[in-house]
Amino acid sequence: MLALGAGLLLALAGGGQQGVVDGPGRFCGYGPVIDLRAGERIKLGQGGIHSGRFRWKGAFGSLDVMGIQWGSPPPGEARKQPTAAGQTLFEAWREGGRHVVAIWNGSHGVAYFRSPRPFTPAQMAAIERVSLFDEAGAAPEGCKLRTVFVWG
């Protein structure tokens, strides 16, 4: 378990150690749902009830992700075509010297992906695989790896 502030603990269900989960398997945490492929890894960062951060690594490189289960639509221009996972993808922008891309599920689920360099086609293909759930009654299925919040 990872301590995350005043009385809140984060536990990993499904075999994570020291805040790291390895694929393959479905990861459901902080809003993003990712079917991790063999060799892909998620290292959990800070989190809370409504959101959390993690680093996602794989053959595509590395992405810093902020997932939010109770958020609003990202700023900027949405692309017309949904992602392969059915999410709305927003055009990339720069923030604090980093490149940012966001997806939104049309309700309250949103995820921001950050990279120090422009996104590669492989990173964009990985982002296309991500779906989102939110606190408005969604319950993703088949989650082998997930974050579970426990008041302590």
Side-chain angles (χ1 to χ4, degrees):
M1 286 194 203
L2 301 171
L4 294 177
L8 184 62
L9 298 175
L10 168 66
L12 288 175
Q17 291 184 5
Q18 300 297 324
V20 175
V21 292
D22 293 311
R26 177 168 276 190
F27 169 76
C28 304
Y30 310 125
V33 177
I34 305 171
D35 289 319
L36 295 173
R37 296 178 176 165
E40 290 185 350
R41 166 177 276 191
I42 288 180
K43 182 176 182 189
L44 299 175
Q46 293 183 329
I49 296 172
H50 303 294
S51 65
R53 298 178 186 276
F54 59 91
R55 178 164 287 159
W56 178 22
K57 291 183 178 182
F60 56 83
S62 178
L63 294 167
D64 290 324
V65 184
M66 171 66 166
I68 304 170
Q69 294 178 348
W70 194 259
S72 57
E77 192 74 27
R79 293 188 180 175
K80 294 187 188 319
Q81 296 293 343
T83 67
Q87 310 304 293
T88 301
L89 177 65
F90 284 72
E91 295 291 340
W93 70 91
R94 292 200 42 133
E95 181 178 278
R98 295 178 59 90
H99 298 267
V100 183
V101 164
I103 59 173
W104 178 51
N105 70 357
S107 181
H108 297 288
V110 64
Y112 294 90
F113 302 85
R114 289 179 170 78
S115 173
R117 290 176 282 292
F119 292 96
T120 66
Q123 287 174 318
M124 291 305 296
I127 292 167
E128 287 264 344
R129 298 178 7 227
V130 179
S131 61
L132 298 165
F133 70 99
D134 58 50
E135 294 177 5
E141 295 183 10
C143 301
K144 174 183 173 190
L145 312 162
R146 67 181 327 147
T147 53
V148 178
F149 297 96
V150 180
W151 292 103

